[in-house]
Amino acid sequence: MAYDPTALEPTAEPILHDESGDVWHPLFRHECAFGPDVFEDVMMNLVKNPNINSSWLFRADILHDSDPAWDPSSVPVSPDEAAQGVQQQQPVPVAFRHYSNDRVLVRRLIPRNTRRDDPLDQTCMFASCTPDADSDANAGPGATARSLVVYLPHASSPDALPFYHPKVRGVAHLHEWDPARAVGTVSIHYLFFDEADFAVEKLVRTARMLLSVLYKHGQGRVAGYTKRVHHDVVIPQARFQDRYTRLKLKYAKELVETWAETTDPTKHVFEDLGIAAFLIELWAEMYRDVPFPGFVDIGCGNGLLVWLLVQEGYSGWGFDARARKSWAKYKTCHAGRDSLQRLVLLPDAVARPPPADGQEPALDLSQIHNGAFAKGTFIVSNHADELTPWTPILATLSESPFIMIPCCSHTLGGQKHRAPLPRDRTKSQSTYSCLVDWAAQIAEDCGWVVETEMLRIPSTRNTAMLGRRRTRDGQEVDIDGVIAKYGGTEGYFASAAKLTKTEKGH
């Protein structure tokens, strides 16, 4: 059924009775087809992922949880908090007549822009109805089951609340379920700072929206919806987002204002900031006890990602078949080597035609890189197009870990093509899904354990595949056999030869 809630008047009788005497006003109610288990599951997901309700928010850090299985050591702590020995946040007490508090959490809402908005601590209480034993209406197996989730911001006045939170003392979501008829209702309630706030249109509109999210997620579960995309598999959300925020505050404004390319800076700058944040956190984990081996970005494009990583203290370089305008700003020099270089990748595994008598050399060798890197060099392949399928092959030959973020589909010979359908036929059969699975197959055949992360970047081409562990030694891999299996290299040499004589790149 379409979302069309019933609006309740300011004079409507309160359904919830706060033991303190505070009045909770119902604003909207809607019939639903999902039971208490689905309601509680959806609400817990919304508690842990407040960005579903507000695009102004990054995430929620759980600071307290009454669940005995909760581990307090999992609380994210900033360096300043660690130095000050910050105490665990305690929940705001609340109790409702006929309800028992089943679980109480304190979450910290983390905004996307910490320069504009402050974080906010909020108590989240899950409760269920405990009817009076004397009440016939609520007795027996057919009695209405009631579940309640309440949000209480840790703020004493509307002015203390950030922009992204409604200016109210509390928000309550009530689910009522008739097991005999298998139907229920969901409703939303406010605890106002001032009773006159019921007339504030923005607050009413926000309540309607909050209830719609609960309703749509609950109905979706009943209809069989299952989440396909899973973020934060490799790097925890908090670590990535905190790093991304620091990079954004440090670099974004100037990078956008001084963008030299014709492309949209608001997309490319924030995309590369996100990839840089992910790599920095990944490398902090991988190279915790050993020196960083350096990186190379193959098909580095505008060079911004290389520049960001170098600025953050990571030694490395990148190359592309065509220099970009922005290289004038992003190119640096270290130990006699430019960080951005115009080179065409021509792997040694690509067959070379015999030289013809009397003809000039087909290649300008000064502009060729054979794809052999120092052992252990971390290979970055970010939207590298023709170089994407070569990434796990080069990584195997150089005994190096890699990340590849596919974009456009090309054969090993460099021609555009549509990859075969994914092995898992339950997955999307889009061109991009086909490419991702095909590239993963090449990596697996090269002996890599492929880890997949859906990056939190402003791009639909956001699948990152990591190779940092192997199923077998690289010397055991028949590279020529892998290349032959995936179509061979016909056409690559001719394309590379042309690129060394023109300014057109990958």
Side-chain angles (χ1 to χ4, degrees):
M1 66 186 84
Y3 179 67
D4 185 20
T6 300
L8 303 174
E9 296 297 326
T11 55
E13 188 70 21
I15 303 171
L16 301 173
H17 301 283
D18 195 318
E19 295 284 13
S20 70
D22 288 333
V23 179
W24 290 77
H25 290 278
L27 284 86
F28 293 98
R29 179 189 288 121
H30 202 294
E31 188 173 295
C32 69
F34 53 90
D37 290 346
V38 171
F39 168 75
E40 292 172 9
D41 189 46
V42 168
M43 288 306 305
M44 184 58 71
N45 185 50
L46 294 175
V47 165
K48 294 182 177 180
N49 298 280
N51 50 295
I52 295 173
N53 273 323
S54 174
S55 60
W56 298 98
L57 294 172
F58 249 157
R59 67 176 191 276
D61 291 340
I62 304 301
L63 308 182
H64 169 88
D65 190 343
S66 62
D67 184 347
W70 180 65
D71 179 9
S73 66
S74 64
V75 176
V77 178
S78 69
D80 290 341
E81 289 175 328
Q84 297 170 10
V86 174
Q87 298 296 314
Q88 182 176 317
Q89 292 294 322
Q90 294 302 311
V92 174
V94 63
F96 292 87
R97 192 186 312 162
H98 302 316
Y99 284 84
S100 61
N101 294 357
D102 301 324
R103 186 173 180 181
V104 181
L105 305 91
V106 176
R107 65 176 178 176
R108 177 164 294 163
L109 301 174
I110 306 297
R112 289 183 178 274
N113 189 339
T114 54
R115 285 182 174 173
R116 180 188 59 211
D117 301 313
D118 291 327
L120 174 69
D121 292 350
Q122 187 186 68
T123 293
C124 303
M125 185 269 288
F126 286 69
S128 55
C129 187
T130 53
D132 289 337
D134 296 332
S135 174
D136 293 336
N138 289 323
T144 299
R146 294 180 174 86
S147 303
L148 179 66
V149 176
V150 176
Y151 298 159
L152 295 169
H154 295 195
S156 58
S157 69
D159 292 339
L161 288 167
F163 171 80
Y164 54 78
H165 193 285
K167 306 293 185 181
V168 294
R169 291 172 58 196
V171 181
H173 304 78
L174 176 64
H175 178 266
E176 300 175 278
W177 182 250
D178 182 345
R181 297 170 51 231
V183 295
T185 62
V186 284
S187 55
I188 190 162
H189 311 249
Y190 275 162
L191 175 61
F192 291 108
F193 281 104
D194 187 322
E195 296 296 311
D197 288 344
F198 204 116
V200 177
E201 182 181 350
K202 182 180 179 181
L203 290 178
V204 176
R205 188 170 63 247
T206 299
R208 193 180 195 278
M209 181 277 295
L210 291 173
L211 187 63
S212 76
V213 174
L214 164 59
Y215 172 77
K216 291 174 182 177
H217 279 240
Q219 293 294 108
R221 297 288 180 91
V222 173
Y225 169 80
T226 55
K227 186 175 181 180
R228 285 188 173 186
V229 176
H230 297 277
H231 295 279
D232 316 310
V233 175
V234 177
I235 300 298
Q237 180 183 9
R239 278 176 47 197
F240 166 78
Q241 290 182 332
D242 288 347
R243 176 69 64 178
Y244 172 75
T245 298
R246 289 196 289 271
L247 293 179
K248 183 176 69 172
L249 294 176
K250 186 175 181 180
Y251 297 113
K253 186 175 185 294
E254 181 182 355
L255 289 173
V256 170
E257 291 176 349
T258 60
W259 189 248
E261 305 293 337
T262 58
T263 50
D264 179 8
T266 59
K267 176 184 185 298
H268 291 279
V269 167
F270 295 108
E271 186 175 308
D272 282 353
L273 285 170
I275 296 170
F278 178 82
L279 285 173
I280 290 170
E281 289 302 319
L282 175 70
W283 292 342
E285 186 178 279
M286 289 179 63
Y287 305 109
R288 182 182 294 112
D289 302 317
V290 296
F292 180 66
F295 73 89
V296 59
D297 186 348
I298 62 175
C300 64
N302 58 47
L304 175 56
L305 180 59
V306 172
W307 183 83
L308 286 168
L309 295 171
V310 170
Q311 292 300 303
E312 289 299 299
Y314 293 90
S315 59
W317 66 293
F319 65 90
D320 202 288
R322 178 172 62 88
R324 306 298 203 274
K325 293 179 183 178
S326 50
W327 284 17
K329 174 179 173 62
Y330 301 144
K331 184 188 293 186
T332 59
C333 184
H334 179 71
R337 183 176 69 183
D338 288 340
S339 63
L340 300 172
Q341 300 181 34
R342 181 177 178 248
L343 293 170
V344 175
L345 178 70
L346 181 60
D348 289 336
V350 174
R352 270 70 165 170
D357 293 338
Q359 292 188 5
E360 63 180 84
L363 292 173
D364 179 353
L365 296 178
S366 67
Q367 296 184 40
I368 291 295
H369 195 288
N370 66 357
F373 307 107
K375 181 179 178 179
T377 300
F378 194 99
I379 299 174
V380 177
S381 174
N382 171 28
H383 293 182
D385 294 347
E386 296 96 326
L387 309 188
T388 296
W390 281 100
T391 304
I393 296 173
L394 301 179
T396 302
L397 293 171
S398 295
E399 299 181 61
S400 294
F402 69 88
I403 183 173
M404 58 177 170
I405 309 170
C407 182
C408 300
S409 185
H410 292 79
T411 66
L412 286 168
Q415 297 84 23
K416 292 182 179 180
H417 89 130
R418 182 184 175 104
L421 294 177
R423 290 165 289 182
D424 183 351
R425 296 305 169 89
T426 65
K427 291 186 176 181
S428 167
Q429 297 184 5
S430 67
T431 300
Y432 187 64
S433 293
C434 294
L435 168 61
V436 168
D437 188 68
W438 183 70
Q441 289 182 59
I442 296 176
E444 290 166 7
D445 284 355
C446 286
W448 292 103
V449 175
V450 179
E451 300 172 78
T452 301
E453 180 73 279
M454 305 305 292
L455 298 176
R456 294 177 178 272
I457 59 175
S459 172
T460 56
R461 305 293 196 260
N462 65 333
T463 301
M465 288 181 281
L466 297 174
R468 50 179 175 166
R469 291 188 288 272
R470 299 194 59 84
T471 58
R472 61 188 187 279
D473 191 273
Q475 295 179 351
E476 300 176 15
V477 178
D478 178 7
I479 291 296
D480 290 337
V482 171
I483 292 173
K485 177 180 177 180
Y486 291 96
T489 66
E490 183 178 354
Y492 192 102
F493 181 88
S495 296
K498 289 180 181 178
L499 288 172
T500 64
K501 299 178 181 180
T502 69
E503 274 289 310
K504 291 184 178 180
H506 296 301

